[in-house]
């Protein structure tokens, strides 16, 4: 009898929706062993209607979630795994991305404005003039600098520029949310009683949320002129929000919700003060758990909510270093330049040369985030010679990700006072062994990655399985399954690392102050509105191709 009960416990499963900037996935884990049993992934389109604008279709995102759930369930059936053993679902998502929809029709009222979007720069500058230099109440309440990155300014822009949204707000039909809210509302019934909620980690990225009181802040809403009746209800990261109302998992509770970087922190089991992780996705995000106290940075980092794993559980905070472009740079090499056909090719090209040959890449496509917070910066490639080829560009792209991580790690070490002895990493890019070795070389400390890299989805699953009323995943330290790790140790001396890093910093300085508000927000979608960056990149590519041609005919 005891053996039968034990076997039943082993079979209890938890699903996780992982909705990212580039793709949507649904993954299913064993709640006892944290083993990943099956998953399905669908790539998501990004739209660039004007220079600096980044949008996605909320309906496409929602449909991709349903598709991933159904395809994963079919794969489980083929493995003879009973999907009725899935007892809970967690949601983790790209943060800050802003959606407004009609609660009567269930239809989006505008495309999702993605976290990378830059259209709100003039909005940010105008709002900044209203914040007293002696009392930056926005940062003290939210932990965030005033930036195009966060949801409040995106929502303000939508309210100012989209008539259908203005009308829906006036008529009481509009709902606002980040991607988690849009998904949970739809998955729990939508127009037929869907739950309009968000969790504290996603709320903390809106710039409307007071990270001390854990509530929407009336003063902030008045400052940004956001009607509070469009905002979702705030919940903890681990509680039952509602039940799935359609599909193969109808009736299963949705009981976990965290922004993707908080989910990765949980999935890496960074539950102690001072533990940190770095996630390599579309962007790059280093989070350090600071426990129950808010630590404000003097070095360009953000103060954010790490997690709150239950209604009655304490909140934990984190310092965060945010880099806008990491994996997105590899996608740019594939989609815009066409020098690779898949992300995996980057590793092969970089391995061919083992050096950038003095070529440096600053991928400031959306300005520079931490530690600079300079929206006027733009991407540059420098150090090109006639010898430079696509192998060197691929290597320089990987190095750029590592240099950006070095910058935010240095800032983290200055804020915390105790340098990290190693860096825990996760995310899709960690499958690239050249990148991981480069990262260890540039940081001069070991880089440690779990053999199962899906820690973001794992964190959402852990929160869902641990929720009151579900209770199938223990978060007690003695019950947590230890992750198998792979370690990359530095292979170059610190002096060489410092020289390369100093040249990178020189390149960063050259990328700053590239555009003015007028040129970046004129709304002119023509090619001439992006001549400085576009001309530089195109002329660089022409030079490379010409050099190759001349060498062939000589």
């Amino acid at each position: 009898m005891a053996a039968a009960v034990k076997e039943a416990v082993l079979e209890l499963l938890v699903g996780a929706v992982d909705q990212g900037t580039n793709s949507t996935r649904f993954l299913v884990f064993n709640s006892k062993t944290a083993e990943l049993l099956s998953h399905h992934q669908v790539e998501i389109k990004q739209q660039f209607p004007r220079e600096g604008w980044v949008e996605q279709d909320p309906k496409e995102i929602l449909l991709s979630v349903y598709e991933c759930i159904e395809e994963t369930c079919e794969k489980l059936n083929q493995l003879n795994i009973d999907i009725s053993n899935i007892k809970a679902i967690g949601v983790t998502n790209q943060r800050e991305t802003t959606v407004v929809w009609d609660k009567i029709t269930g239809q989006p009222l505008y495309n999702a404005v993605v976290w990378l979007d830059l259209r709100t720069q003039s909005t940010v500058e105008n709002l900044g003039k209203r914040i007293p230099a002696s009392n930056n109440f926005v940062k003290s309440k939210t932990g965030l600098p005033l930036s195009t990155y966060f949801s409040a300014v995106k929502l303000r822009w939508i309210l100012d520029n989209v008539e259908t949204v203005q009308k829906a707000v006036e008529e009481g039909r509009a709902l606002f949310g980040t991607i988690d809210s849009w998904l949970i509302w739809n998955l729990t019934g939508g127009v037929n009683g869907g739950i309009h909620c968000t969790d504290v980690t996603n709320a903390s990225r809106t710039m409307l949320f007071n990270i001390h009181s854990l509530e929407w802040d009336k003063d902030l809403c008045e400052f940004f002129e956001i009607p509070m009746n469009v905002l979702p209800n705030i919940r903890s990261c681990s509680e039952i929000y509602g039940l799935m109302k359609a599909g193969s998992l109808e009736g299963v509770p949705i009981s976990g919700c965290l922004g993707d970087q908080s989910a990765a922190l949980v999935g890496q089991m960074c539950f102690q003060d001072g533990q940190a992780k770095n996630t390599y996705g579309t962007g790059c995000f280093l989070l350090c758990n600071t426990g129950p106290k808010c630590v404000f940075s003097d070095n360009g980092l953000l103060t954010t909510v790490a997690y709150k794993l239950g209604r009655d559980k304490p909140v934990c905070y984190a310092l965060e270093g945010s880099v806008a472009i990491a994996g997105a740079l590899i996608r740019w090499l594939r989609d815009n330049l066409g020098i690779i056909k898949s992300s995996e090719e980057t590793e092969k090209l970089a391995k061919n040369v083992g050096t950038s040959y003095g070529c440096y890449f600053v991928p400031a496509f959306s300005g520079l985030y931490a530690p600079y917070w300079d929206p006027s910066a733009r991407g540059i490639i420098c150090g090109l010679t006639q010898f430079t080829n696509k192998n060197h560009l691929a290597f320089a792209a990987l190095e750029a990700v590592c240099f950006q991580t070095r910058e935010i790690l240095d800032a983290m070490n200055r804020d915390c006072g105790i340098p990290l002895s190693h860096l825990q990493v996760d995310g899709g890019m960690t499958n690239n062994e050249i990148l991981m070795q480069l990262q260890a070389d540039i940081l001069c400390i070991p880089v440690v990655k779990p053999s199962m890299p899906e820690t973001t989805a794992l964190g959402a699953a852990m929160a869902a399985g641990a929720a009151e009323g579900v209770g199938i995943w223990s978060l007690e330290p003695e019950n947590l399954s230890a992750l198998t790790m792979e370690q990359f140790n530095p292979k170059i001396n610190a002096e060489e690392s410092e020289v390369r890093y100093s040249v990178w910093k020189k390149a960063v300085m050259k990328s700053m102050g590239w555009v003015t508000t007028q040129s970046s927000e004129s709304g002119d979608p023509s090619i001439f509105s992006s001549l400085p960056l576009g001309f530089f990149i195109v002329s660089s590519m022409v030079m490379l191709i010409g050099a190759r041609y001349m060498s062939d005919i000589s």
Side-chain angles (χ1 to χ4, degrees), residues 292-304:
K293 61 181 182 295
C294 287
V295 175
F296 284 85
S297 173
D298 295 320
N299 296 284
L301 303 182
L302 311 177
T303 303
T304 196

Side-chain angles (χ1 to χ4, degrees), residues 86 131 140 144 179 207 270 289 335 377 397 481 544:
I86 299 176
I131 299 175
S140 64
L144 310 174
I179 294 296
M207 210 170 252
C270 296
N289 190 332
D335 296 346
S481 302
L544 287 173

Side-chain angles (χ1 to χ4, degrees), residues 276-309:
K277 66 86 205 172
N278 195 41
T279 299
Y280 300 76
T282 299
C284 206
F285 302 90
L286 176 63
L287 267 72
C288 181
N289 190 332
T290 63
K293 61 181 182 295
C294 287
V295 175
F296 284 85
S297 173
D298 295 320
N299 296 284
L301 303 182
L302 311 177
T303 303
T304 196
V305 174
Y307 51 79
K308 186 178 189 295
L309 295 172

Side-chain angles (χ1 to χ4, degrees), residues 24-41:
T24 298
R25 294 178 296 170
F26 184 69
L27 306 91
V28 174
F29 297 90
N30 183 313
S31 66
K32 191 72 173 177
T33 65
E35 177 189 1
L36 175 60
L37 301 177
S38 189
H39 75 282
H40 188 76
Q41 181 171 354

Side-chain angles (χ1 to χ4, degrees), residues 197-251:
C197 67
T198 190
D199 81 292
V200 289
T201 68
N202 278 295
S204 73
R205 313 298 292 195
T206 61
M207 210 170 252
L208 300 170
F209 177 78
N210 189 312
I211 60 174
H212 309 286
S213 67
L214 304 183
E215 297 174 337
W216 298 124
D217 190 284
K218 184 179 178 183
D219 293 339
L220 291 170
C221 289
E222 288 178 355
F223 176 72
F224 289 103
E225 298 180 78
I226 304 297
M228 296 186 75
N229 63 342
V230 305
L231 303 177
N233 293 318
I234 296 170
R235 311 281 283 272
S236 76
C237 305
S238 180
E239 61 179 274
I240 295 175
Y241 313 114
L243 306 180
M244 287 283 290
K245 289 296 172 68
S248 298
L249 299 182
E250 184 176 355

